[in-house]
Amino acid sequence: MSSRYNFETVKVTVNTDGIAHFQLNRPKKLNAFSPQDVGDAFRAIGDDEDIKVVVASGAGRMFTAGLDLSETPFSKSPSADPARAAYQNRAMLRAIQETFTAIENCRQPVIAAVHGGCMGAGAAFVTACDIRYCTEDAFFSVKEIDVGLAADVGTLQRLPKIIGNGSLVRELCYTGRNLYSKEALDCGFVNRVEKNLDACLAEAFNLAKTITSKSPVALVGTKHFLNYSRDHSVAEGLAEAVTWNAAMLNTE
């Protein structure tokens, strides 16, 4: 493993096919993760020319219980000046949001292979991925509602654009109920459901190997166009494609 991938709560390995396996690696804490480790890892992966595709999974008995809140020091002191405390919290929230934006902005396609629970910020994690596979025992939950918060790190912004069913999105987000694997497949949140994690990872790596056979120039452009077009009009997306490919068509 490259020295650039030495993290406390995540593990990154890269095989000879150019596939990176990103693993939330804190099983004793149900993979409650450090936002800084995740963000730094995906920024490093995005800069690594040897990596063509990423497969993301979790160690132990579940994908993740979400953020490790002990590593997100929000200001709650009643003696603190309210304006300064709010400003400090704003900066912290933005930094955590950038963790998941780093997944979305990673130039390589990211395939999530989810088993067991994927809760809270875990939902934000997988909505920032390009493709989602899961196991039969997997479930997803926008859990923030149950601790008195509106989800604020990306789930509410990305989930409606993935599922495309506003009524279901609102039901999930207002209740915090579990979205189990069969329903996740039926509504289009995941592409495949496999029996267990080994089978899920095998399929994810098979897909990743197929993707590695494609031109890296074509892959990075395709991901950029899809992300850009999601957030812009058709006309704006076409204009971006003209500007981008005017340069990229010079490839061999």
Side-chain angles (χ1 to χ4, degrees):
M1 180 171 62
S2 169
S3 60
R4 75 175 75 179
Y5 300 123
N6 288 331
F7 301 102
E8 182 180 349
T9 63
V10 304
K11 180 180 178 182
V12 180
T13 54
V14 184
N15 70 19
T16 55
D17 292 322
I19 302 170
H21 186 190
F22 171 98
Q23 192 175 46
L24 296 169
N25 190 35
R26 214 178 193 182
K28 291 182 179 179
K29 288 196 172 185
L30 301 179
N31 292 327
F33 58 85
S34 157
Q36 182 169 348
D37 276 1
V38 171
D40 288 348
F42 272 98
R43 282 184 280 270
I45 289 169
D47 290 338
D48 193 331
E49 296 294 332
D50 293 327
I51 296 174
K52 299 176 182 177
V53 190
V54 185
V55 174
S57 69
R61 63 190 180 92
M62 67 188 303
F63 186 77
T64 182
L67 286 177
D68 184 343
L69 296 179
S70 68
E71 298 189 17
T72 53
F74 294 110
S75 178
K76 299 178 182 177
S77 171
S79 62
D81 174 74
R84 286 175 172 79
Y87 194 76
Q88 177 183 332
N89 287 343
R90 183 175 182 273
M92 179 65 67
L93 283 168
R94 179 170 289 177
I96 297 172
Q97 288 175 347
E98 289 172 357
T99 293
F100 305 100
T101 301
I103 302 171
E104 184 174 77
N105 287 345
C106 181
R107 66 178 177 82
Q108 301 92 338
V110 181
I111 305 164
V114 179
H115 76 294
C118 178
M119 299 182 286
F125 185 110
V126 297
T127 58
C129 294
D130 295 272
I131 297 166
R132 287 161 294 280
Y133 287 0
C134 75
T135 60
E136 290 178 358
D137 70 348
F139 64 90
F140 306 86
S141 176
V142 187
K143 205 65 179 170
E144 289 87 344
I145 196 76
D146 287 335
V147 293
L149 294 172
D152 52 13
V153 293
T155 302
L156 301 186
Q157 290 70 35
R158 296 185 177 99
L159 184 60
K161 297 181 179 182
I162 294 169
I163 293 180
N165 180 334
S167 179
L168 177 58
V169 168
R170 288 169 188 266
E171 178 185 325
L172 294 169
C173 296
Y174 291 161
T175 65
R177 75 164 176 85
N178 293 339
L179 176 72
Y180 291 101
S181 57
K182 183 181 183 305
E183 187 180 7
L185 181 63
D186 290 344
C187 74
F189 186 63
V190 301
N191 296 19
R192 295 182 71 107
V193 176
E194 298 295 335
K195 186 172 182 59
N196 54 44
L197 179 58
D198 286 344
C200 189
L201 281 172
E203 289 299 327
F205 276 95
N206 283 340
L207 174 64
K209 188 158 187 179
T210 298
I211 294 172
T212 63
S213 70
K214 311 304 178 184
S215 159
V217 172
L219 284 172
V220 72
T222 298
K223 178 167 181 174
H224 174 71
F225 291 162
L226 287 170
N227 285 347
Y228 187 92
S229 295
R230 179 198 61 192
D231 299 328
H232 295 79
S233 70
V234 172
E236 289 168 328
L238 289 169
E240 177 69 10
V242 167
T243 302
W244 181 279
N245 266 2
M248 294 302 171
L249 287 172
N250 291 313
T251 183
E252 297 179 359

